[in-house]
């Protein structure tokens, strides 16, 4: 991943995920777990699926399949009864998928470096607490979440996937105890769309 950044020379950009005068729907406590992102080795959704299985919970997988070979390698997990494949969503349907979940489950692979994930702001503004798996301290999950909005499982990268899944399952249980309305209030303050608009408008072209 670091090599990709070097090759593509990325520049920092601001992004706004609500239109002008649009508002988030009131937070509600959902039922199933949700995982959202591109489905490939780097994002490692199979660990989220296993964590849900450990807890006896249903999980919805939202996003496009980028790596069919990866899906086939974890076919037994991905085809289990507790997994519901949603496919790629955008706009209000994507927002609803997040808002209707009890916990947003966030994963990535050991060597992957997440430069910044918009899903943290999206989930917290929707009032959905997060359970995040990380392989080191100081990640974007640590920057985005606090004890009132989610739980972060930090697992030694030398550990097996099963150990990671069990640690993530513990984080899911902790996150599920959080109040969705309070999560949304914090999310709207920390990831305030109006402040993002103002910051963008103040920048020179």
């Amino acid at each position: 991943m670091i090599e990709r950044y070097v090759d593509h020379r990325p520049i920092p950009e601001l992004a706004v995920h609500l239109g002008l005068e649009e508002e988030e729907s009131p937070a509600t406590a959902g039922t199933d777990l949700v995982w959202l992102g591109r489905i490939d080795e780097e994002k490692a959704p199979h660990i989220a699926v296993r964590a849900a299985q450990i807890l006896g919970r249903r999980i919805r997988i939202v996003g496009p399949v980028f790596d069919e070979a990866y899906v086939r390698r974890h076919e037994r997990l991905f085809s289990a009864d507790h997994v519901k494949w949603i496919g790629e969503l955008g706009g209000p349907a994507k927002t609803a998928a997040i808002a209707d979940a009890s916990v947003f489950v966030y994963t990535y692979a050991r060597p992957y470096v997440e430069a910044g994930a918009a899903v943290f702001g999206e989930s917290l503004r929707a009032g959905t607490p997060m359970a995040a798996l990380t392989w080191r301290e100081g990640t974007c999950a640590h920057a985005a979440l606090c004890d009132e909005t989610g739980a972060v499982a930090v697992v030694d990268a030398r550990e097996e996937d099963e150990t990671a899944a069990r640690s993530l399952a513990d984080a899911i249980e902790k996150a599920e105890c959080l109040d969705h309305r309070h999560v949304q209030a914090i999310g709207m303050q920390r990831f305030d769309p109006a402040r993002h608009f103002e910051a963008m408008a103040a920048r020179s072209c």
Side-chain angles (χ1 to χ4, degrees):
M1 192 64 190
I2 293 173
E3 289 78 9
R4 281 193 196 177
Y5 292 137
V6 173
D7 291 341
H8 293 279
R9 298 180 182 178
I11 58 173
E13 285 292 344
L14 294 169
V16 177
H17 301 281
L18 285 177
L20 188 61
E21 297 182 356
E22 290 182 348
E23 295 182 359
E24 296 283 359
S25 300
T28 58
T31 52
D32 295 340
L33 308 175
V34 69
W35 183 97
L36 186 150
R38 69 175 190 271
I39 299 166
D40 62 15
E41 194 81 50
E42 289 183 334
K43 292 295 185 175
H46 68 282
I47 301 177
V49 170
R50 175 57 184 147
Q53 188 177 53
I54 289 167
L55 295 171
R57 300 291 306 280
R58 284 171 51 88
I59 186 167
R60 288 174 282 164
I61 303 296
V62 179
V65 175
F66 270 41
D67 187 346
E68 295 282 358
Y70 163 75
V71 174
R72 288 195 297 272
R73 280 197 301 277
H74 300 283
E75 184 175 4
R76 287 185 64 186
L77 270 177
F78 286 135
S79 62
D81 291 341
H82 72 292
V83 182
K84 183 173 183 181
W85 288 80
I86 304 299
E88 188 171 10
L89 298 176
K94 176 184 174 183
T95 301
I98 297 171
D100 291 344
S102 63
V103 175
F104 187 116
V105 186
Y106 172 84
T107 59
Y108 65 96
R110 293 162 181 81
Y112 185 72
V113 178
E114 186 76 84
V119 293
F120 288 100
E122 291 177 294
S123 185
L124 300 190
R125 284 197 309 266
T128 302
M130 299 189 73
L133 169 66
T134 73
W135 306 100
R136 60 191 66 85
E137 297 285 350
T139 66
C140 57
H142 294 95
L145 301 176
C146 65
D147 291 343
E148 296 177 281
T149 56
V152 180
V154 181
V155 178
D156 190 312
R158 293 168 294 187
E159 295 287 354
E160 299 290 333
D161 282 357
E162 181 66 14
T163 300
R166 291 189 177 279
S167 293
L168 181 58
D170 290 341
I172 291 169
E173 290 188 310
K174 291 176 184 175
E176 198 152 33
C177 295
L178 299 173
D179 182 271
H180 287 247
R181 290 167 298 180
H182 188 53
V183 169
Q184 186 175 51
I186 295 174
M188 290 302 295
Q189 190 278 323
R190 293 201 67 191
F191 300 96
D192 177 42
R195 190 169 65 247
H196 287 193
F197 273 116
E198 291 166 2
M200 291 177 70
R203 293 182 63 176
S204 59
C205 295

